Amino acid sequence: MGDIVTQYKKAGGGEKKEHLYKILVIGELGTGKTSIIKRYVHQFFSQHYRATIGVDFALKVLNWDADTLIRLQLWDIAGQERFGNMTRVYYKEAVGAFVVFDVTRASTFEAVTKWKSDLDNKVQLSDGSPVPCVLLGNKCDQAKEGLVNNASQMDEFCKEKGFIGWYETSARENINIDEAARFLVTKILEKDRANKLGDDVRDGDTILVDGKDPSNGPVKKSCC
């Protein structure tokens, strides 16, 4: 399954499993992809980022539980790169993705479908299924435009386009970024387990998020 690396290290006399997961952060230019990554990884926000050229990436380490350490490679892919020949290389071996739009600019939401389609065409999991993908409506601390104002229609949109869920986020105010990432990583872990264990996975093995099974359709989290 992609470039997942599993290692074992001694921790307190026991074995600690490590995973390395590559996650893409894609979407139109100026939607706040870099700001989201900086907030998530460094707990930092600035209004003065320069536009990403090509691709950049950051590393986030999660002590997921007593037995599991997760390293996330977050690949920040420039908005103008969608039609470039390099995107297939950038996408290679990814196991999850965020597609980001700007809730203050409806045009960036209109481009979401193209980004999702491009993602699905260029990378799949080892079982041939699409990589888990969460839709982020960023800058929710500002006035919103378009469909994001209607939660039920957003739910339907995500279901139709194959997003596993959506969140309104704000890098400036640190709203829903950790929650969206935890939800996506939970789904990646479920996919990883399913691909490795196949039919041996039992219903009781389902990982819960906020007490709910995230596999039961799209999850949404509003801004406020």
Side-chain angles (χ1 to χ4, degrees):
M1 181 179 172
D3 63 350
I4 294 174
V5 176
T6 304
Q7 300 174 334
Y8 293 88
K9 288 189 176 181
K10 292 291 184 180
E15 292 181 336
K16 196 172 183 72
K17 185 180 292 185
E18 292 191 14
H19 299 283
L20 174 63
Y21 294 137
K22 177 178 176 179
I23 294 176
L24 307 175
V25 184
I26 56 180
E28 291 295 280
L29 187 68
T31 54
K33 300 183 296 296
T34 302
S35 294
I36 287 172
I37 291 173
K38 294 291 187 185
R39 171 62 80 178
Y40 181 55
V41 174
H42 303 295
Q43 293 300 309
F44 176 77
F45 175 79
S46 171
Q47 293 180 306
H48 305 295
Y49 294 125
R50 292 176 295 176
T52 301
I53 304 299
V55 65
D56 195 4
F57 71 91
L59 182 69
K60 174 78 169 181
V61 179
L62 300 173
N63 287 298
W64 189 258
D65 56 34
D67 303 314
T68 310
L69 183 77
I70 296 175
R71 301 181 190 274
L72 300 180
Q73 275 189 357
L74 295 145
W75 285 59
D76 179 3
I77 297 176
Q80 67 268 33
E81 289 291 318
R82 183 175 71 227
F83 301 112
N85 293 327
M86 289 299 293
T87 54
R88 191 176 296 275
V89 176
Y90 296 153
Y91 289 7
K92 186 179 180 182
E93 297 183 336
V95 295
F98 292 112
V99 174
V100 184
F101 71 99
D102 179 348
V103 299
T104 72
R105 293 189 289 143
S107 61
T108 64
F109 177 75
E110 292 166 4
V112 160
T113 300
K114 292 180 180 178
W115 280 101
K116 181 64 164 66
S117 176
D118 192 56
L119 174 71
D120 292 344
N121 286 335
K122 291 179 177 175
V123 63
Q124 294 85 34
L125 300 181
S126 60
D127 63 359
S129 64
V131 300
C133 185
V134 174
L135 181 62
L136 301 183
N138 195 38
K139 306 184 185 181
C140 73
D141 55 293
Q142 303 177 39
K144 294 178 277 188
E145 284 186 1
L147 191 63
V148 73
N149 285 302
N150 189 315
S152 61
Q153 288 187 16
M154 281 292 292
D155 290 344
E156 191 61 33
F157 175 84
C158 286
K159 184 176 179 181
E160 177 185 338
K161 302 300 181 182
F163 291 97
I164 61 172
W166 66 279
Y167 288 76
E168 292 180 356
T169 60
S170 169
R172 180 197 298 270
E173 302 297 333
N174 196 18
I175 296 170
N176 281 339
I177 292 173
D178 287 348
E179 291 83 352
R182 184 169 183 84
F183 173 67
L184 178 58
V185 172
T186 298
K187 288 297 291 184
I188 291 170
L189 281 167
E190 286 187 350
K191 287 284 190 179
D192 191 5
R193 179 183 294 180
N195 283 353
K196 287 181 178 178
L197 300 183
D199 294 335
D200 292 333
V201 175
R202 302 180 302 275
D203 290 340
D205 289 333
T206 300
I207 300 170
L208 301 181
V209 175
D210 297 331
K212 298 179 180 178
D213 179 357
S215 63
N216 290 337
V219 168
K220 66 177 177 66
K221 283 282 186 173
S222 295
C223 179
C224 306

